Amino acid sequence: DTLWDLAIAEVEKRKNPDDDDVKPGEVLEKSILFMGNKNGGKTTIILRCLEREEAPKPTLALEYTFGRRARRHNTPKDVAHFWELGGGTSLVELIRIPITSHNIRSFAVVLVLDLSKPDELWTTMESLLQVTRNHVNKILTKLEKTNPEVAAEIKQRMWNHLQRDHPDYALLDPFPIPLVIIGSKYDIFHEFDSEVRKIISRTLRFVSHYYGASLVFTSKSEALLMKARALINHLAFGYDKSKSVSVDPSKPPFIPAGLDSMSQIGPPPASDSDLGKMRANTPLELWKKVFEKAFPPKSFCDLKDTKDPAQDSQYAEYEVDAMRAQKNQVRGNSPNAVHSQEFQNH
């Protein structure tokens, strides 16, 4: 190697401290699961991250794609596996497919929340993160028995972005794997009343900080998509982590993990009398009560996707659909089906 090659390698090593043990020429593989509100913009964000110009299509269940990037000139391209969970919260159990004990060290989650639907926001966020966390914790529990060093490394890594002298160090409960929270449709959100925007923004700042996550609001604006892309590229390809922070209430927030604080966020946006009436065991529970008082949530059942994917034109296959129609017709003409229908009518 020339002197310049060695200098470039050293700079890359400093940018990517997690990759110190990567050998020259070795290909890195990382995985990211995108989940969130149905029609919240997950596919659009993925396509922009991968620099693809194709029009986004609705995600049926769990879809997979990948991207490749070279860390520097004349080196093998690293691979990022992108998984997208469709259907909002209705198919959350599918997260067990992409997140496994084999890739847990290199896995991250991107939660996309639709800012234009505050009545769905907390329920969507809570149910998706809870199921994901439970699954990851099960994997870590097994790893503690089979490979305790790896399990300890994963648990410690989530504290690495937070300095031990940070005033909130003892108050947080970091998510077990890297997490980015994206508030989508900022263009619609920006038209909301200022008080509504304040409650949503401060709540998501608290949740992100509490879980040790990064937070960014985005829309179809290229400038905002670039900010989201920077956070995702850091997770997917080890690009340099941004140190810039934006907490101006009049602008979309951009806060990398570990760069916010409870003192800057402030208390839950409610009157002292209202806060005094709310009983909560944890700060997270208190923020939830304040948020849901302002935006009564839709029930979990309302968030479930009841549309039959077999009727979706984008998945049409003539031969399969013809056989399915024939099968349904046979079922409909069978004596059991007739008796069943008569029973339902009675």
Side-chain angles (χ1 to χ4, degrees):
D1 288 348
T2 66
L3 184 61
W4 283 113
D5 289 331
L6 294 172
I8 291 171
E10 180 62 25
V11 170
E12 290 296 327
K13 185 176 178 180
R14 291 178 183 178
K15 285 183 178 180
N16 305 297
D18 293 340
D19 305 337
D20 286 350
D21 57 347
V22 177
K23 300 173 183 176
E26 184 178 348
V27 174
L28 283 177
E29 291 192 39
K30 298 196 176 182
S31 302
I32 301 179
L33 172 63
F34 288 76
M35 57 188 185
N37 292 91
K38 188 172 183 290
N39 300 321
K42 300 182 292 296
T43 306
T44 299
I45 293 169
I46 292 173
L47 291 174
R48 291 303 300 122
C49 286
L50 298 176
E51 299 178 3
R52 296 179 187 171
E53 299 299 328
E54 60 199 78
K57 295 180 180 179
T59 302
L60 175 61
L62 183 66
E63 295 196 0
Y64 168 82
T65 188
F66 68 94
R68 302 175 70 203
R69 296 279 191 281
R71 268 167 283 162
R72 50 186 179 271
H73 187 60
N74 288 334
T75 60
K77 291 184 176 180
D78 296 330
V79 180
H81 305 280
F82 287 72
W83 296 86
E84 181 185 356
L85 179 69
T89 58
S90 61
L91 302 171
V92 67
E93 294 301 325
L94 291 179
I95 61 104
R96 291 177 295 181
I97 295 173
I99 308 178
T100 69
S101 58
H102 300 293
N103 63 16
I104 192 70
R105 292 180 70 184
S106 57
F107 212 100
V109 169
V110 174
L111 176 65
V112 181
L113 298 172
D114 189 338
L115 297 172
S116 70
K117 299 176 181 177
D119 58 344
E120 295 182 13
L121 194 149
W122 192 284
T123 305
T124 299
M125 173 180 67
E126 184 176 57
S127 58
L128 289 174
L129 290 184
Q130 192 172 59
V131 172
T132 305
R133 183 168 209 158
N134 289 343
H135 176 62
V136 171
N137 284 340
K138 286 180 182 177
I139 292 176
L140 292 178
T141 300
K142 290 181 180 178
L143 275 178
E144 285 175 345
K145 298 175 182 176
T146 59
N147 200 334
E149 290 183 1
V150 170
E153 174 200 324
I154 293 171
K155 289 184 176 181
Q156 178 56 43
R157 186 179 61 187
M158 290 318 302
W159 291 98
N160 290 344
H161 62 264
L162 197 68
Q163 301 296 327
R164 285 194 173 273
D165 58 355
H166 193 291
D168 303 333
Y169 193 87
L171 303 175
L172 308 185
D173 185 19
F175 206 68
I177 55 178
L179 172 66
V180 170
I181 297 178
I182 297 179
S184 66
K185 302 186 182 179
Y186 177 78
D187 49 337
I188 300 176
F189 169 82
H190 190 60
E191 300 300 320
F192 288 174
D193 177 79
S194 61
E195 195 63 27
V196 170
R197 295 200 310 269
K198 182 177 78 171
I199 295 173
I200 296 173
S201 294
R202 285 178 59 188
T203 299
L204 287 181
R205 279 184 64 186
F206 168 80
V207 170
S208 299
H209 185 50
Y210 182 77
Y211 283 136
S214 299
L215 175 67
V216 60
F217 284 6
T218 189
S219 67
K220 293 181 180 179
S221 157
E222 190 63 28
L224 293 184
L225 280 170
M226 286 291 286
K227 290 189 173 184
R229 186 178 164 187
L231 291 174
I232 294 168
N233 278 339
H234 170 68
L235 297 178
F237 302 107
Y239 285 17
D240 195 15
K241 185 179 178 181
S242 176
K243 298 291 193 213
S244 65
V245 179
S246 175
V247 294
D248 186 338
S250 64
K251 298 178 181 178
F254 178 82
I255 313 172
L259 298 184
D260 210 342
S261 67
M262 298 295 190
S263 60
Q264 287 182 304
I265 297 169
S271 66
D272 291 341
S273 60
D274 283 343
L275 289 176
K277 297 173 185 175
M278 295 178 181
R279 294 185 177 181
N281 295 321
T282 65
L284 185 67
E285 191 178 331
L286 180 61
W287 277 83
K288 175 183 178 179
K289 288 179 179 294
V290 171
F291 187 85
E292 291 190 338
K293 183 179 180 184
F295 309 106
K298 284 188 176 182
S299 70
F300 186 78
C301 292
D302 291 339
L303 297 178
K304 292 217 171 192
D305 184 14
T306 56
K307 183 179 177 181
D308 182 0
Q311 307 302 321
D312 195 322
S313 59
Q314 76 166 314
Y315 303 108
E317 291 187 40
Y318 176 76
E319 293 181 354
V320 175
D321 293 340
M323 291 295 292
R324 184 184 177 94
Q326 184 179 354
K327 186 175 181 181
N328 289 339
Q329 187 175 10
V330 171
R331 279 181 175 175
N333 292 333
S334 69
N336 289 338
V338 173
H339 291 317
S340 175
Q341 185 62 46
E342 288 176 353
F343 179 79
Q344 290 176 10
N345 291 338
H346 287 303

